Amino acid sequence: MVGPAHPNSDPFHAGAEPPWAPGPAPWGAPPPPRAGAEPTSRLLPSRRADAEMADSELQLVARRIRSFPDFPVPGVLFRDISPVLKDPDSFRASISLLANHLKKAHGGRIDYIAGLDSRGFLFGPSLAQELGLGCILIRKRGKLPGPTVCASYTLEYGKAELEIQRDALEPGQKVVVVDDLLATGGTMRAACELLGQLQAQVLECVSLVELTSLKGREKLGAVPFFSLLQYE
């Protein structure tokens, strides 16, 4: 990772994707426009209304992302999602935006949402409920009972491991992986490999926030990736 911090620097979420980007950067800087969005002036009236509503919801979420310079160590900029969870309208908007994207991208093909330990658990169940699906858990090693399968991924100063229960999925079932943030991509890539061991099909990975300068989506290879908000 760029800067003095490494992907395991977050003391509260060891082994998880770090919610920071290299600093310095302005506090509360607005995210860039979403790639591929159509100008509202070119849309039909009904589609224009939908696009304006989506933009309004996106701004509602963006306003609740806080930036803390020099946390957890000097030289990094921490992206804090806590205000999104605190504000019911903002949280509801984040779930609605992710759900609408998945409906458009995959229709009724999704069988399960997979939430990543640990902040992916904050969004996974609500997203699954919005889509009328079940949610399965991908956890750090040693947290799940019964037979499990395991996948490891490399951190700057060692390795971490993820597990899923062996009977969580049937071969061929289609899954979307969700986490709060994509940084270096190691955790999400390990989750995809883990689901592959169960012969499940990963349709897409999604997150609330993406730190584009860390190029985490490149680690996902051919697996599609979508984020609501992008920061350098």
Side-chain angles (χ1 to χ4, degrees):
M1 173 177 178
V2 178
H6 58 81
N8 198 24
S9 295
D10 187 344
F12 300 104
H13 302 283
E17 286 292 295
W20 56 69
W27 283 51
R34 291 170 295 164
E38 295 183 73
T40 55
S41 60
R42 299 180 183 177
L43 300 178
L44 295 174
S46 61
R47 295 185 63 193
R48 185 182 303 125
D50 290 342
E52 290 172 352
M53 180 177 297
D55 287 341
S56 175
E57 289 181 319
L58 190 63
Q59 290 304 313
L60 182 60
V61 178
R63 286 195 296 268
R64 296 295 184 266
I65 303 292
R66 296 189 297 184
S67 301
F68 287 96
D70 299 321
F71 183 85
V73 295
V76 299
L77 186 67
F78 189 94
R79 303 295 184 179
D80 181 22
I81 67 164
S82 301
V84 175
L85 304 174
K86 183 179 179 181
D87 176 24
D89 291 333
S90 179
F91 181 73
R92 188 179 302 111
S94 70
I95 296 300
S96 174
L97 288 165
L98 289 172
N100 287 339
H101 164 75
L102 293 175
K103 289 174 184 176
K104 292 176 182 177
H106 306 291
R109 298 174 59 220
I110 307 169
D111 293 309
Y112 290 99
I113 300 295
L116 282 184
D117 196 344
S118 61
R119 288 179 294 238
F121 297 167
L122 301 173
F123 296 91
S126 294
L127 180 58
Q129 286 293 303
E130 181 74 12
L131 294 169
L133 303 172
C135 183
I136 59 175
L137 304 181
I138 297 177
R139 300 219 59 185
K140 295 181 178 70
R141 187 173 184 180
K143 300 294 185 180
L144 290 171
T148 61
V149 295
C150 179
S152 63
Y153 58 103
T154 302
L155 301 171
E156 187 173 349
Y157 296 105
K159 289 186 176 181
E161 293 179 300
L162 295 176
E163 284 187 326
I164 190 172
Q165 290 173 317
R166 190 176 294 275
D167 62 355
L169 294 165
E170 298 292 333
Q173 287 188 315
K174 298 175 177 62
V175 182
V176 169
V177 181
V178 61
D179 204 358
D180 70 317
L181 178 144
L182 180 76
T184 62
T187 307
M188 200 162 275
R189 176 176 177 175
C192 292
E193 293 174 353
L194 193 62
L195 293 167
Q197 291 186 44
L198 297 182
Q199 301 179 51
Q201 180 182 350
V202 181
L203 293 179
E204 190 170 5
C205 296
V206 301
S207 70
L208 186 71
V209 172
E210 177 187 5
L211 305 182
T212 58
S213 62
L214 300 180
K215 301 180 180 180
R217 65 169 64 208
E218 294 181 6
K219 287 191 176 179
L220 301 179
V223 177
F225 175 77
F226 173 81
S227 61
L228 292 182
L229 300 170
Q230 303 83 36
Y231 300 90
E232 290 294 326

